[in-house]
Amino acid sequence: MYRELHIYYIPMVLATISTGMLYALSLIFSESGKRMWLKWAGITSGLLGCLLLAISIYHFFFLRNPLSAPSSLTKIYLLTLRVVNLIPILFILNFSDESKLAATEKLSRTDQISETWLGLACLLCLVFALFAGVMLASQGYDVMHVPKRVKALAMPFEARFYVSSSGDTLMYRIMKPLNYNSQKRYPLIVGLPYTCADDNERKIAVCDPAQWLSEEKNRARYPAFTFVPRCPKGAGWGGVPNNPSVEKLALEAITALIKQPVIDKKTVYVTGISRGGYGSWHFIGTRPDLFAAAIPICGGDDPLLGKNMVDVAVWAFHGAKDRNVPVAGSRDLIASIQKAGGHPRYTEFSDREHGIWDLVKTTPGLLDWLFAQKQK
């Protein structure tokens, strides 16, 4: 997701497919080739491996923009993977034939004991596979479908869209202040989701700060607009090297919003976790004129941008043992801002990894601090 291991991805994909093709050749041309089902498994695996290898090489080396792969290519790739998943049927048929041959042989006492233990091991594997399969299927369903909880979280947020002068569209959701009064001016909080998908409803479910701000007690105490934009799959909010970004479009939408008379231009805030944390740093590093304060969580960016953030109030959070986003990302930016004369706040949880939101939202005075910030 954050491209730290990106240089290894392409070699590993090609090595995995190539290894599978070698295995397919061994099934065809070794002693295994005398077994009909194994030979067909080898032939099928080899042909599909060639197809996957060709698609991968085209995708990695000849496609100018990997995110804009032709839909026909994607369909062929997915269909090939589905057929690959059927290959174990050929092995099952081979085992069925071999079990008939084994039934005619008389087993010794040792072999009978071994077979009993093997049967128990297979039973345990079956139970584990069913258990894990149900869990994976449940998670997959949640990803592919919008459950009731997701709909409930999105309910306070109105679905809208912004169209730029060049015709690009940004889908977003926005929550009005509780007891909204069109004669008043309110702060604007930008919540950047930590993952991106195609639907505009799931954005609140993947933006914990927005969920927190939508709680009744917080809406009553801190009346404000909460803006949650959506980015396409595979994209982000900026700050992540070699990662496509909708940063420019999102900033244009924010600029258009704060022109409305109900928004107080001097109290615009941004926050986000992980990918959203990167975006929070990047937004105040590239457009510090827009924001009064930021709460970046588990993020990072180029430390050279720190000098641009001096006039933005910052309270950053990170887990010292974070293996998803290196803690150095926050440390280096904080040091850079301090070196440039800024006074950012920084909270690091020494015994925690990436999942620190439960500690962040219970930090005493965090929202009081945020809503007290104002551009000079």
Side-chain angles (χ1 to χ4, degrees):
M1 184 181 294
Y2 299 103
R3 305 298 177 98
E4 285 101 344
L5 302 177
H6 184 63
I7 58 173
Y8 304 109
Y9 177 69
I10 294 176
M12 286 307 300
V13 169
L14 298 179
T16 301
I17 296 175
S18 300
T19 303
M21 293 173 66
L22 287 173
Y23 175 58
L25 290 173
S26 73
L27 288 175
I28 299 171
F29 297 108
S30 69
E31 288 293 314
S32 301
K34 295 179 180 178
R35 309 288 305 171
M36 179 183 68
W37 296 119
L38 292 181
K39 186 171 184 177
W40 275 109
I43 293 172
T44 308
S45 299
L47 292 174
L48 294 175
C50 289
L51 184 56
L52 286 175
L53 186 62
I55 293 173
S56 299
I57 290 173
Y58 172 73
H59 187 271
F60 292 142
F61 302 110
F62 296 99
L63 198 60
R64 183 168 297 179
N65 181 6
L67 293 176
S68 60
S71 59
S72 57
L73 183 68
T74 303
K75 289 178 181 177
I76 293 172
Y77 177 73
L78 293 174
L79 178 62
T80 304
L81 289 180
R82 290 191 178 99
V83 177
V84 167
N85 289 331
L86 297 176
I87 291 177
I89 294 174
L90 299 173
F91 288 95
I92 292 171
L93 291 171
N94 177 71
F95 292 148
S96 176
D97 286 352
E98 291 192 359
S99 66
K100 293 175 184 176
L101 292 174
T104 62
E105 299 179 2
K106 190 173 182 180
L107 299 178
S108 65
R109 177 67 178 168
T110 303
D111 289 338
Q112 289 176 358
I113 294 173
S114 299
E115 192 174 66
T116 301
W117 282 108
L118 182 62
L120 289 173
C122 289
L123 182 61
L124 289 173
C125 288
L126 177 62
V127 171
F128 174 76
L130 289 172
F131 175 74
V134 169
M135 288 184 63
L136 288 170
S138 176
Q139 291 176 14
Y141 181 86
D142 287 345
V143 170
M144 298 303 294
H145 301 80
V146 181
K148 290 181 179 178
R149 175 179 172 273
V150 173
K151 288 181 177 291
L153 290 173
M155 191 66 70
F157 295 80
E158 181 184 345
R160 294 185 186 177
F161 63 90
Y162 167 77
V163 181
S164 70
S165 56
S166 58
D168 295 323
T169 301
L170 177 77
M171 306 297 295
Y172 66 90
R173 301 190 80 90
I174 191 165
M175 181 179 67
K176 290 181 178 180
L178 199 63
N179 302 318
Y180 169 68
N181 183 341
S182 61
Q183 302 304 312
K184 292 184 178 181
R185 297 168 69 205
Y186 298 92
L188 173 68
I189 302 102
V190 178
L192 301 177
Y194 55 75
T195 188
C196 300
D198 290 331
D199 68 88
N200 197 27
E201 197 163 38
R202 201 181 299 272
K203 291 300 92 194
I204 311 305
V206 292
C207 186
D208 292 315
Q211 295 177 38
W212 189 35
L213 291 164
S214 69
E215 292 176 8
E216 201 75 11
K217 60 180 181 180
N218 289 329
R219 292 189 71 186
R221 187 170 180 179
Y222 309 102
F225 285 91
T226 303
F227 168 79
V228 184
R230 179 188 72 85
C231 66
K233 284 183 178 179
W237 310 109
V240 184
N242 304 316
N243 190 272
S245 167
V246 292
E247 163 208 356
K248 182 180 177 182
L249 186 59
L251 288 170
E252 280 187 26
I254 295 168
T255 303
L257 272 175
I258 63 178
K259 289 180 180 178
Q260 298 183 19
V262 291
I263 303 292
D264 183 355
K265 295 179 181 181
K266 293 186 177 296
T267 55
V268 179
Y269 314 125
V270 61
T271 183
I273 303 170
S274 196
R275 188 192 309 246
Y278 274 98
S280 300
W281 282 119
H282 199 65
F283 278 20
I284 63 172
T286 55
R287 288 296 307 275
D289 56 301
L290 287 180
F291 302 97
I295 303 177
I297 305 164
C298 302
D301 203 347
D302 187 349
L304 294 176
L305 291 175
K307 63 181 183 295
N308 300 340
M309 308 174 188
V310 173
D311 294 327
V312 180
V314 172
W315 193 341
F317 295 84
H318 217 124
K321 298 181 179 179
D322 196 329
R323 292 181 292 180
N324 295 58
V325 181
V327 69
S330 291
R331 290 175 181 173
D332 292 347
L333 275 163
I334 292 295
S336 177
I337 297 172
Q338 291 173 336
K339 185 178 179 181
H343 303 282
R345 291 191 178 194
Y346 178 52
T347 301
E348 186 173 297
F349 302 107
S350 59
D351 59 341
R352 294 294 289 268
E353 296 183 6
H354 197 56
I356 62 171
W357 172 243
D358 58 323
L359 296 178
V360 173
K361 74 175 184 177
T362 54
T363 299
L366 180 58
L367 286 182
D368 288 336
W369 171 87
L370 179 66
F371 284 91
Q373 306 308 314
K374 198 167 187 175
Q375 275 187 326
K376 298 175 183 179

